[in-house]
Amino acid sequence: MKAPLQSRQQIPRQRILERIRAATLDCAQDPAMREEAYAALPRAYTRHGQLSAEARLKLMIERLREYDAEVVETTPEALPDAIAAQLAASDKHSFLAPPGTPSEWMVTAAWKISGLEWTIDHGLATAEIEQSEGVVTAASCGIADSGTIVLHHSASEGRRVLSLLPDWHLIILRASQVVETLPEYFARFQQPSGLVTWISGPSATADIEMTRIKGVHGPRFLNVILVRDKS
Amino acid sequence: MRELGHPVILCNRQIVLLSNNIRVRVYALRQSVAVMRASLFITCYNDTLYPETGRAVVRLLERLGVEVDFHAQQTCCGQMHANTGFRGEAFSQAKRFVRLYQEAETVVIPSSSCVAMMRDQYPGLFEELGNEELRRQFAALLPRVYELSEFLIDRLGVEDVGAYFPHRVVYHASCHGVRALHLGERPYRLLAKVRGLALATLENVDRCCGFGGTFSVKNAEVSSAMLAVKLQDVIATGAEYCTALDNSCLMHLGGAMHRQYAGMKTIHLAEILASTEDAPAEATL
Amino acid sequence: MNYSHAELDPRKALPFPKAVLPVLRNPQLRKNVAHAIDVIQTKRARLVAEKDDWQELRTAASAIRAHALENLGAYLEQFEERCTAAGGTVHWAADADEARRIILDLLRQEKASEVIKIKTMTSAEIQLNPFLEANGVSAFETDLAEIILQLGGEEPSHIVVPALHVNRSQVREIFARRMGLKNLSDDPKELTNAARTYLRQKFLAIPTAISGANFLIAETGSVAVVESEGNGRMCLTLPRTMITLAGIEKVLPRFQDLEVMLQLLARSATGERMNPYTSLWTGVTAGDGPQSFHVVLLDNERSSILAKAKQRQTLKCIRCAACMNACPVYRQTGGHAYGSVYPGPIGAILTPQLMQMKFAQSLPYASSLCGACYEVCPVKINIPDVLLELRAQVVNQERGRAARYFDPMYVGLRVANLLFAKAWLFHVAQRLGRIGLGLYTRKDGWIHSLPGIGAKWTQTRDLRGLPDESFHEWWAKRGSQPGKEGK
């Protein structure tokens, strides 16, 4: 049964590619010329931001707050306490953490808040993730211009589902991870991860009379702790 | 305005003296330098429907010391045909235009959509249907083709044309003027220097009035709906006159104003600029 | 109860001038559309104004998209190779029928009787949902607007906010009826929550999903989906099997090209600096998301569009809908009158081309050529230019038909062309016109009513009567001496 399926896929493939080739006879280029043409594409847009480090962070915070995200700043030393404070203020008790989460992020909170429950994701079932009220993850990058946080879903950022089902998402973002422009993000991560999620504020819709409503399916609450490390 | 004379130098060829009683005298230095010549392409619908616009252009340009010439064989630029899909027909009119005007020093056209037709569509028509010679002739001619406000500001270098028009006016920025010719501030700069004129601000100034040539007939209902929205903004200004650089939009707006007894009149910008205290704009309906 | 009546199959839809009539007589619908459009436009204008490099971004985006199309074959093959290497399976569909068959076969292999969907206009283009339904598969839309449409039996009228023609009280009625929530208020927040609850179980229970794609990345074999609500992330993450349907034109050469596209897309589409969620995935990732991933690449006449150099730019489109938001025609008519899932200016050029110019010939004329669409297009598609090209094709089709002599517009323009060829003929026609129209001109000098095609004009506007003397007659009398006439 394999051969017919194979050929069934092959025939349209070749037909379409032939049509495309015929359609682009006037313009398609050989690999070397294509590379050259690509390199010569006009890119006169702003690549690098002009802001000072401080102004960049200020803009990042301002943009996040425009999205109704809760933002607090802290130092690397005070981070565990800051996490504990955020969790305590959330009024929630069951939290998820990706497997790569530094233990000090969890220990202080667990010690300080009674009834707090951490579940570390070592292949949790969807139903278990769905039961949790919140999640704490790291991030790969922050883009100040649009208030975007980028997850590459590494061990400390967690699987995609982890930062999706719980209603409350706390992101730990280091100041050194914040760039000003989107092109600066792409300059920093030229070898992209296979999975990328760009998050710009909590889940939202404006489908009913263009009224912006926060929280449709993704987390309704986005919280960010900005850690002032050395840039 | 107390001083007696306020000289403005135009293209190193003329000196205009604007005196404090708003009368304008023109001294062209004819003995030493040739006078600028402008060939007026009036356009088919202005010729037929709005001759007063043509008369105003002549009066205005002559007042500014320009020698105006009119080619009796002219008819149409081909826009109506090109925009409806009659490319071959549009081409024959485009060819006619180039043949008639290739010797002209400058061509002035009081219609931004016709100028846009030449700039945006003639090259494609000639590329597709014309020959090398025609393309060359057109390429040489095109830089000398001006829409009226371009001619005044870019070619003559004048903003104050000595006009007097003591009315509240709203300017309708036609789509072709805004987005095809990029006229930008030009019409506003000209209007700002018209004595006695109060310029009203128009909301949604760059929104189409819904004319669109044969669109107004082919899609009459949609065109009318667009017109109604535009008219609301125009009427809300409370102006006495609505002006533009395209009589086509004005025919559309004016037709609805008249139907609705709106009490506002339309007038081409050339007629405002031609108007002086001694010779006010011609009475219109 | 439907809030609008729409036929979005271009083969069956009424011509645009007829299709607009029910809309123009529906003040509630027009109000809903204008309100939504004005909100987006205001937001967009503010965010575009703050971007100093907007024009440079447009120039780059236009060049990247043009380059990708010029080398489409090579980039698609590269995409296929990388996606396959990452564990995905790439299928090729020459037309809508093939695409539907491939998707149904995949669903049957999965023994799926239900499927969840991320909003995809391409699936609407191939009319996937009714086909699946007819073959025993229930497709559940998950985008809020799409749920409103699906539950209300409505058709999309916009490509980004497809339910913009429905207002909150209409949404309330649809949800109350279809979800059995009698006490629902018309507060958008409450309505949104109702949708959240309604869909949550479906997300968790249905193991197969269908998505569209905003971009395919040739360099990495990745797919990118741009969304706001998180329903996309749900569909991309929770199911076992994921099927992505994408037009062949969606490919970008490199990952880095997103730095241009993502800056333009959200600003153009919804007036946001960035949409809440953009997801990119590459084949299959162990332990994260669907472990079976298929991409269906759809041609469906795109390669024919690609073959025509002047029309090729149509395929640069990134479906942001800025053109319809800026369009003064769309603002009056909404989307349904275009008789296609692709409305507005982009629909007016895309639909007839997807139909090989056999249907939808009225769409290239559904524009006043005001140029607002071209001005806002983030990838610089010169829509007015393509409209003119398509109009020329429509006229050339008409030239071969006997019925052309009964079309007053056709006859009128052919005759006008003869008149414009000789000035004396034109001048004779002017004089005849003056006499003819004189019969209709009232004492006030205006024409209030005309017969035939002229009635199209006079149904809402008057026409000033022809003046007694044309300009060239005045000029001939005056001679060329300046200052002779009445100064």
Side-chain angles (χ1 to χ4, degrees), chain B residues 72-85:
Chain B
Q73 291 302 306
Q74 64 179 279
T75 55
C76 172
C77 71
Q79 184 189 186
M80 181 170 63
H81 285 93
N83 285 357
T84 314

Side-chain angles (χ1 to χ4, degrees), chain C residues 53-70:
Chain C
D53 58 344
W54 185 253
Q55 296 308 331
E56 288 76 15
L57 282 166
R58 285 179 76 216
T59 303
S62 170
I64 292 167
R65 292 293 297 132
H67 171 83
L69 293 171
E70 285 159 10

Side-chain angles (χ1 to χ4, degrees), chain C residues 166-185:
Chain C
V166 185
N167 68 20
R168 64 177 74 188
S169 69
Q170 295 165 336
V171 175
R172 191 210 76 84
E173 187 279 322
I174 292 169
F175 280 10
R177 175 160 50 89
R178 296 297 308 275
M179 297 178 185
L181 302 168
K182 287 201 181 66
N183 301 321
L184 202 60
S185 85

Side-chain angles (χ1 to χ4, degrees), chain B residues 106-124:
Chain B
T106 55
V107 184
V108 176
I109 307 176
S111 163
S112 35
S113 66
C114 299
V115 179
M117 164 71 191
M118 294 169 191
R119 287 196 196 145
D120 292 349
Q121 296 202 54
Y122 276 20

Side-chain angles (χ1 to χ4, degrees), chain A residues 40-80:
Chain A
L41 293 175
R43 290 182 190 270
Y45 52 87
T46 308
R47 309 293 274 273
H48 304 288
Q50 302 296 318
L51 297 178
S52 67
E54 200 48 43
R56 182 167 69 232
L57 294 178
K58 198 168 155 250
L59 180 65
M60 181 78 202
I61 294 167
E62 190 184 307
R63 292 284 192 253
L64 283 167
R65 289 195 175 136
E66 279 173 33
Y67 293 133
D68 298 325
E70 171 93 26
V71 190
V72 294
E73 294 175 74
T74 190
T75 60
E77 299 72 37
L79 177 61

Side-chain angles (χ1 to χ4, degrees), chain B residues 47-49 52 62 75 81 83-84 87 89 93 96 128 179 208 219 223-224 229 255 258-259, chain C residues 310 332 365 368 370 389 391 399 413-414 417 420-421 430 448 458 460-462 464 471-472 478:
Chain B
D47 185 32
T48 314
L49 295 158
E52 65 269 33
E62 288 181 348
T75 55
H81 285 93
N83 285 357
T84 314
R87 215 167 243 184
E89 289 81 353
Q93 283 143 44
R96 211 164 175 277
E128 195 177 320
R179 283 179 284 266
C208 178
N219 280 286
S223 169
S224 296
V229 170
H258 193 264
R259 169 67 55 91
Chain C
K310 278 189 197 164
Q332 296 305 317
Y365 291 94
S368 64
C370 83
E389 175 66 26
R391 287 180 186 189
R399 286 186 207 273
L413 283 165
R414 291 285 294 153
N417 184 55
F420 289 144
Q430 280 179 325
H448 295 243
T458 54
T460 52
R461 323 106 170 148
D462 292 340
R464 204 183 67 173
F471 177 80
H472 75 268
R478 166 198 188 255

Side-chain angles (χ1 to χ4, degrees), chain C residues 107-123:
Chain C
L107 293 175
R108 289 204 167 138
Q109 281 169 27
E110 293 291 315
K111 300 188 170 49
S113 60
E114 294 182 320
V115 63
I116 44 176
K117 286 184 73 199
I118 313 178
K119 182 171 98 67
T120 140
M121 297 317 293
T122 316
S123 97

